């Protein structure tokens, strides 16, 4: 070992380590446990996405649509198309911290995750994507959670237990109390979305309740704190999407000075900063949708889509952006 | 953008997802008419290998068998919701990895409790003969000391011989992250084994 295991050596080491493992036969037990669970066979439904890329107008598969746990306030929103969206993934709604003129707020980003065995597994996967070594796809967002912060999740009837590591108890570097509160709510919003219900979070460490997370005191059951959503957020397209000839952008809005904005202004800019398309999208129950944006006349390259809401006095309130590639 | 919906029938031409090397398990599973038959075929082909994978992750064989058994039951339960029978084996592997990860946490709690009761395990002396059993224990012990993701990537990469892309899909991380975990995991494993075996015990 002194020269370090190369790949062949690693294969040898790992295979050898379990070479003497002779599993007991458990087929009988498996049959017993599944004998009453057989369901009538249903025809397979296979959705093949063409050419390995997807426009934002891709219709989400049943799996995607059925598994995105949206909390009550999100139900009006539509499941975005993952980019690309293989049939073995589901979309998870993740919440990251981003800047707005009104201060830091939570922005939602959808990421494709492997289909999880249950809500608890989905919630754990979603929360682990909040950790610094995973993090947001959108470079404008950030996360407060350190590597290895989340170790287990159990979605119960009355609350969601989230087991965290010791690192998650400490304040994040260069962040104050307000940031820490947002960080805690990142986890609350994300876990609730994965569980598909508005349940408070019980943070635990080594199977005991913790009262300090990210350096800030928390209640034993931490509820969702309203009003932290960014005034405007793009759900679709996802960051870095490759589009062909059409794009549909969708998203949500949060309250602006206690009022829900009536419309969202959007524009698409080329790499030279020139606006190549723009318009407004009406807001319907906190959701907005641009309809199909024609990209067929655009030169291939990178473009930035921005969506913004303005206050009554026409001061810019907030914007969210996505970079896409037209090919 | 083209969407083809193929309804009914067992023909699954065009499914690029879930391809894997070696025996065409997907075709075997596709031919299975129902969940019972599919689970049985997967059991015959993969039970031993999946239990060994789980042993690499959780260390304990009894627990590994429980985890894999539960994973088969879970697959059976979700069979009608799988979009593509070719996904069955990747789904099983993913479930085994996820359940192993979850089981580890509970075992760590127990281990901490036992360690407090009985004191830390005494490390074997440097002059202890490197019997196969001891060496295997060292490797499993060392794996347990790695961060979870590194352990999972090493096991999937070097035990199951999965590609970086397949691992990325199984763990839901980027290929870059897989590469990074594999590299850091291999280095950490080397260090841990060197500490155990400072003489450079090439076998």
């Amino acid at each position: 070992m002194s020269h370090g295991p190369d790949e062949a050596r690693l294969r040898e080491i790992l295979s050898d380590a379990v070479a003497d493992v002779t599993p007991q036969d458990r087929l009988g037990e498996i049959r017993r446990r599944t004998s009453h669970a057989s369901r009538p066979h249903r025809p397979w439904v296979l959705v093949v996405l063409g050419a390995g890329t997807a426009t934002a107008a891709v219709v989400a598969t049943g799996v995607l649509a059925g598994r995105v746990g949206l909390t009550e306030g999100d139900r009006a929103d539509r499941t975005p198309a993952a980019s690309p969206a293989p049939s073995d993934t589901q979309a998870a709604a993740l919440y990251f911290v981003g800047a707005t003129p009104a201060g830091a707020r939570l922005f939602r980003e959808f990421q494709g995750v492997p289909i999880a065995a249950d809500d608890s597994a989905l919630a754990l996967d979603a929360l682990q994507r909040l950790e610094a070594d995973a993090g947001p796809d959108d470079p404008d967002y950030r996360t407060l959670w350190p590597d290895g912060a989340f170790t287990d999740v159990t979605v119960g009837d009355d609350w969601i237990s989230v087991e965290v590591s010791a690192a998650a108890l400490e304040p994040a570097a260069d962040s104050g109390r307000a940031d820490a509160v947002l960080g805690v709510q990142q986890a609350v919003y994300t876990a609730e979305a994965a569980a598909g219900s508005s349940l408070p979070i019980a943070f635990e460490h080594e199977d005991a309740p913790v009262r300090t997370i990210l350096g800030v005191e928390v209640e034993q059951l931490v509820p969702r704190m309203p009003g932290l959503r960014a005034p405007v957020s793009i759900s679709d397209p996802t960051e870095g999407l490759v589009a062909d000839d059409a794009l549909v952008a969708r998203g949500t809005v949060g309250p602006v000075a206690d009022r829900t904005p009536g419309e969202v202004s959007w524009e698409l800019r080329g790499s030279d900063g020139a606006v190549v398309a723009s318009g407004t999208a009406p807001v319907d129950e906190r959701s907005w949708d641009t309809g199909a944006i024609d990209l067929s006349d655009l030169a291939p390259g990178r473009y930035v889509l921005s969506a913004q809401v303005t206050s009554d006095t026409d001061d810019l309130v907030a914007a969210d952006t996505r970079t896409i590639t037209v090919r | 953008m083209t969407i083809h919906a193929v309804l009914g029938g067992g023909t699954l031409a065009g499914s690029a997802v879930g391809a894997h090397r070696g025996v065409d398990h997907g075709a075997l599973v596709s031919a299975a008419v129902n969940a019972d038959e599919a689970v049985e075929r997967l059991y015959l082909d993969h039970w031993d290998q999946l239990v060994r994978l789980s042993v690499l992750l959780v260390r304990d064989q009894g627990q590994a068998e429980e985890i894999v058994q539960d994973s088969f039951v879970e697959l059976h339960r979700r069979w009608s919701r799988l979009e593509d029978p070719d996904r069955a084996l990747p789904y099983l592997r993913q479930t085994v990895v996820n359940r192993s990860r979850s089981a580890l946490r509970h075992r760590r709690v127990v281990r901490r409790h036992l360690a407090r009761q009985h004191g830390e395990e005494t490390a074997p002396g440097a002059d202890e003969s490197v019997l196969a059993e001891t060496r295997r224990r060292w490797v499993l012990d060392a794996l347990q000391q790695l961060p979870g993701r590194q352990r999972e990537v090493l096991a999937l990469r070097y035990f199951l011989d999965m590609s970086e892309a397949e691992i990325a899909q199984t763990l839901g991380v980027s290929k870059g992250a897989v590469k990074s975990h594999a590299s850091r995991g291999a280095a950490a494993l080397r260090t841990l084994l060197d500490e155990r075996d400072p003489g450079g015990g090439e076998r």
Side-chain angles (χ1 to χ4, degrees):
Chain A
M1 295 298 304
S2 57
H3 300 293
D6 55 18
E7 296 216 336
R9 179 88 175 116
L10 278 167
R11 285 193 175 84
E12 188 186 356
I13 286 173
L14 294 193
S15 296
D16 177 69
V18 289
D20 61 344
V21 172
T22 309
Q24 289 184 29
D25 180 23
R26 295 199 180 206
L27 182 57
E29 180 66 9
I30 292 171
R31 280 184 180 140
R32 187 190 64 74
R33 290 176 61 188
T34 57
S35 62
H36 302 296
S38 296
R39 298 189 181 95
H41 177 61
R42 291 203 332 216
W44 298 109
V45 179
L46 177 65
V47 178
V48 181
L49 300 178
T53 61
T55 69
V58 170
V59 178
T61 66
V63 170
L64 271 171
R67 292 292 306 174
V68 178
L70 299 179
T71 53
E72 200 55 44
D74 299 327
R75 293 201 190 283
D77 195 15
R78 273 150 274 192
T79 306
S83 168
S87 59
D88 58 339
T89 62
Q90 59 195 101
L94 313 176
Y95 287 85
F96 293 104
V97 178
T100 79
R105 290 287 186 274
L106 295 180
F107 286 80
R108 184 174 56 187
E109 181 176 279
F110 283 96
Q111 291 185 13
V113 301
I115 293 173
D118 52 34
D119 289 342
S120 299
L122 175 63
L124 178 61
D125 198 342
L127 287 173
Q128 286 177 334
R129 284 158 189 273
L130 302 184
E131 295 173 2
D133 63 341
D137 289 336
D138 191 321
D140 295 335
Y141 302 160
R142 61 197 170 91
T143 185
L144 275 296
W145 292 93
D147 290 359
F150 300 100
T151 57
D152 197 20
V153 175
T154 305
V155 177
D157 292 337
D158 301 316
W159 63 79
I160 302 169
S161 297
V162 175
E163 177 82 14
V164 296
S165 67
L169 308 179
E170 305 302 323
D174 303 326
S175 71
R177 188 180 183 285
D179 256 0
V181 170
L182 265 185
V184 171
Q185 289 294 320
Q186 266 189 277
V188 176
Y189 276 61
T190 300
E192 281 192 356
S197 54
S198 300
L199 294 173
I201 309 300
F203 288 101
E204 297 175 356
H205 176 58
E206 297 186 350
D207 280 347
V210 293
R211 305 306 295 268
T212 303
I213 290 285
L214 299 175
V216 68
E217 279 190 25
V218 293
E219 301 164 60
Q220 194 157 348
L221 292 176
V222 185
R224 165 187 281 239
M225 191 182 288
L228 296 182
R229 293 281 296 268
V232 61
S233 186
I234 300 173
S235 303
D236 195 10
T238 51
E239 183 71 13
L241 181 111
V242 178
D244 289 324
D245 53 6
L247 176 76
V248 178
R250 304 184 176 95
T252 57
V253 294
V256 178
D258 295 332
R259 287 189 55 239
T260 301
E263 66 178 20
V264 170
S265 306
W266 62 268
E267 59 186 27
L268 193 61
R269 290 178 183 268
S271 52
D272 58 356
V275 175
V276 296
S278 65
T280 58
V283 171
D284 179 18
E285 293 187 355
R286 293 179 49 193
S287 293
W288 55 271
D289 180 332
T290 61
I293 302 171
D294 184 5
L295 306 177
S296 55
D297 291 337
L298 298 185
R302 287 159 67 86
Y303 291 82
V304 174
L305 173 79
S306 71
Q308 59 194 43
V309 290
T310 53
S311 67
D312 291 342
T313 54
D314 278 349
D315 296 328
L316 175 65
V317 170
D320 193 13
T321 61
R322 289 286 184 275
T323 301
I324 65 166
T325 299
V326 174
R327 61 169 202 169
Chain B
M1 181 64 236
T2 309
I3 298 178
H4 303 289
V6 183
L7 297 174
T11 53
L12 291 160
S15 171
V17 182
H20 32 258
R21 292 186 292 277
V23 182
D24 188 359
H25 304 289
L28 289 175
V29 177
S30 299
V33 295
N34 60 35
D36 293 340
E37 190 176 338
V39 163
E40 187 163 328
R41 285 189 177 166
L42 284 162
Y43 177 92
L44 294 174
D45 288 342
H46 300 288
W47 168 255
D48 286 6
Q49 187 192 48
L50 289 170
V51 171
R52 289 181 179 130
L53 168 67
S54 188
V55 169
L56 286 172
L57 300 178
V58 303
R59 182 75 169 79
D60 179 81
Q61 182 178 336
Q63 188 166 33
E65 288 175 3
E66 289 290 332
I67 287 166
V68 180
Q69 176 178 312
D70 289 346
S71 300
F72 271 97
V73 173
E74 184 68 24
L75 171 70
H76 188 281
R77 193 175 69 80
R78 292 179 59 91
W79 183 252
S80 64
R81 288 151 70 186
L82 275 186
E83 287 185 314
D84 178 351
D86 283 355
R87 292 298 312 149
L89 180 58
Y91 174 82
L92 256 182
R93 288 172 170 160
Q94 187 186 321
T95 307
V96 168
V97 171
N98 287 343
R99 286 177 176 266
S100 298
R101 189 186 303 145
S102 190
L104 262 187
R105 182 180 73 81
H106 298 290
R107 284 196 58 237
R108 286 204 180 103
V109 172
V110 173
R111 186 178 296 170
R112 271 194 298 271
H113 178 67
L114 291 176
R116 276 197 293 270
Q117 280 189 331
H118 304 295
E120 294 298 329
E121 183 187 359
T122 306
D127 60 346
E128 183 175 328
S129 58
V130 186
L131 299 173
E133 192 180 331
T134 307
R135 187 178 62 240
R136 286 166 183 161
R137 187 158 58 82
W138 285 0
V139 173
L140 294 176
D141 284 347
L143 281 172
Q144 288 302 304
Q145 293 179 54
L146 299 183
R149 282 289 193 217
Q150 292 180 17
R151 178 169 53 247
E152 290 164 7
V153 167
L154 290 183
L156 295 175
R157 180 81 186 90
Y158 298 112
F159 179 65
L160 287 193
D161 208 21
M162 288 168 68
S163 70
E164 283 174 356
E166 288 170 325
I167 297 169
Q169 207 166 48
T170 299
L171 299 181
V173 299
S174 68
K175 279 205 283 186
V178 171
K179 211 183 279 279
S180 153
H181 288 311
S183 154
R184 282 188 286 177
L189 185 62
R190 179 191 59 204
T191 303
L192 288 165
L193 292 178
D194 280 349
E195 284 171 2
R196 283 283 198 172
D197 189 13
E202 294 290 343
R203 291 184 291 133

